Amino acid sequence: MRLLPGDIIDQIISDQADPSPEFRASVEERLKLNQGVPQAYAEWLFGLVQFDFGTSFSSGRPVTEQLTDRVPVTFELGIMAMLYSITIAIPIGMLSAVKQDTPIDYLARSFAILALSIPSFWAGQMVIVYGFDWFSWTPPLRYQTPWDSPLENFKILVAPAIILGSFLSGSVMRLTRSTMLEVMRQDYVRTARAKGLTERLVIVRHALRNAMLPVITVIGLQVSVLISGTVVLEQIFSLPGMGRYLIGALALRDYPTVQAIVLLAALLVLVTNLIVDLSYAFIDPRIRYS
């Protein structure tokens, strides 16, 4: 981002009638933009070990203070989208495998392809446009926390959560179907049927549990897609989250803010992958960590 033309100093001095070189130099010194990139990065790392992300160039406030208000919004949207994705994807994928080559299977596979094909930014705009034209509905413009007004909070988050969750569900649905079909052809599944177990018990206890390992892996890898999706949808639905804050910081060349958000996103991906790896032992009893 530092290689892009222009910086925040150009926007600051644009308000001056006749900006002098001395004024520009003073702003550079105040924002420490007169340093080299290695020195600036070293100072940022030194502050990072003290849980100090620096000060925002645009607002002059600590980045940590501003992220404290915005991270919960993005986190809540991501959790809602992921729960919706898992809730619809795994049962539909399992049903599609059980009803292979039936109208139900064709319908489920078509829905999965449709979910993968529709971009979330386009779906968000269509929901706003046609929601107003057909139902006179518009998303609330003022964000309310779940502690202040749970109902209003749900109203503003439900539409973007469903859009993002639907997009994520397509790949999970298809993978659940393919792994279920593979597992249902295994010898131990046929043995369970031969022992007289009910079909429901065979599917849920024997087939589904063993088919979940690759599905859980893909769900963990979708966190990066989830983060990018929140950036777009927060902008469309005017949500004061981390993604919308990132877009504004990129436009203003607000380096400390962008660095903090990218770091948090990377940490979220790493922690999620660690949780996924640890969950293998609970899903498959054959896996043990020593």
Side-chain angles (χ1 to χ4, degrees), residues 98-119:
V98 173
K99 303 292 185 180
Q100 184 183 12
D101 296 331
T102 64
I104 295 178
D105 182 28
Y106 295 140
L107 183 63
R109 289 158 63 184
S110 299
F111 176 76
I113 295 173
L114 184 65
L116 287 170
S117 304
I118 297 179

Side-chain angles (χ1 to χ4, degrees), residues 5-17:
D7 53 32
I8 194 170
I9 298 179
D10 295 329
Q11 303 182 40
I12 293 176
I13 66 177
S14 64
D15 297 332
Q16 303 294 320

Side-chain angles (χ1 to χ4, degrees), residues 80-139:
M80 288 179 63
M82 187 64 74
L83 289 176
Y84 176 77
S85 171
I86 295 172
T87 301
I88 67 171
I90 293 179
I92 292 178
M94 180 178 64
L95 182 64
S96 179
V98 173
K99 303 292 185 180
Q100 184 183 12
D101 296 331
T102 64
I104 295 178
D105 182 28
Y106 295 140
L107 183 63
R109 289 158 63 184
S110 299
F111 176 76
I113 295 173
L114 184 65
L116 287 170
S117 304
I118 297 179
S120 57
F121 67 88
W122 182 85
Q125 292 175 344
M126 293 302 101
V127 166
I128 292 177
V129 171
Y130 290 104
F132 179 77
D133 286 346
W134 294 347
F135 307 105
S136 298
W137 172 88
T138 56

Side-chain angles (χ1 to χ4, degrees), residues 82-248:
M82 187 64 74
L83 289 176
Y84 176 77
S85 171
I86 295 172
T87 301
I88 67 171
I90 293 179
I92 292 178
M94 180 178 64
L95 182 64
S96 179
V98 173
K99 303 292 185 180
Q100 184 183 12
D101 296 331
T102 64
I104 295 178
D105 182 28
Y106 295 140
L107 183 63
R109 289 158 63 184
S110 299
F111 176 76
I113 295 173
L114 184 65
L116 287 170
S117 304
I118 297 179
S120 57
F121 67 88
W122 182 85
Q125 292 175 344
M126 293 302 101
V127 166
I128 292 177
V129 171
Y130 290 104
F132 179 77
D133 286 346
W134 294 347
F135 307 105
S136 298
W137 172 88
T138 56
L141 298 178
R142 183 172 176 269
Y143 176 78
Q144 303 246 2
T145 66
W147 298 275
D148 294 336
S149 177
L151 182 59
E152 291 299 318
N153 176 264
F154 178 78
K155 285 181 179 179
I156 196 171
L157 288 177
V158 63
I162 290 176
I163 293 170
L164 185 55
S166 298
F167 177 75
L168 296 174
S169 67
S171 56
V172 177
M173 202 179 301
R174 297 184 67 184
L175 184 61
T176 302
R177 178 185 182 275
S178 61
T179 53
M180 280 289 296
L181 289 174
E182 182 179 352
V183 168
M184 288 167 62
R185 299 188 183 102
Q186 299 298 317
D187 291 338
Y188 62 86
V189 175
R190 287 194 290 266
T191 302
R193 287 195 177 102
K195 290 168 62 177
L197 297 179
T198 63
E199 186 66 14
R200 180 179 179 180
L201 193 61
V202 171
I203 296 298
V204 174
R205 179 174 294 182
H206 295 275
L208 180 62
R209 186 174 182 180
N210 289 282
M212 279 296 99
L213 288 182
V215 176
I216 294 296
T217 303
V218 168
I219 292 175
L221 295 175
Q222 284 185 334
V223 172
S224 58
V225 182
L226 188 67
I227 294 172
S228 62
T230 57
V231 171
V232 176
L233 291 173
E234 283 177 5
Q235 189 72 11
I236 294 175
F237 287 90
S238 300
L239 296 173
M242 195 166 58
R244 189 181 179 191
Y245 189 36
L246 175 63
I247 292 178

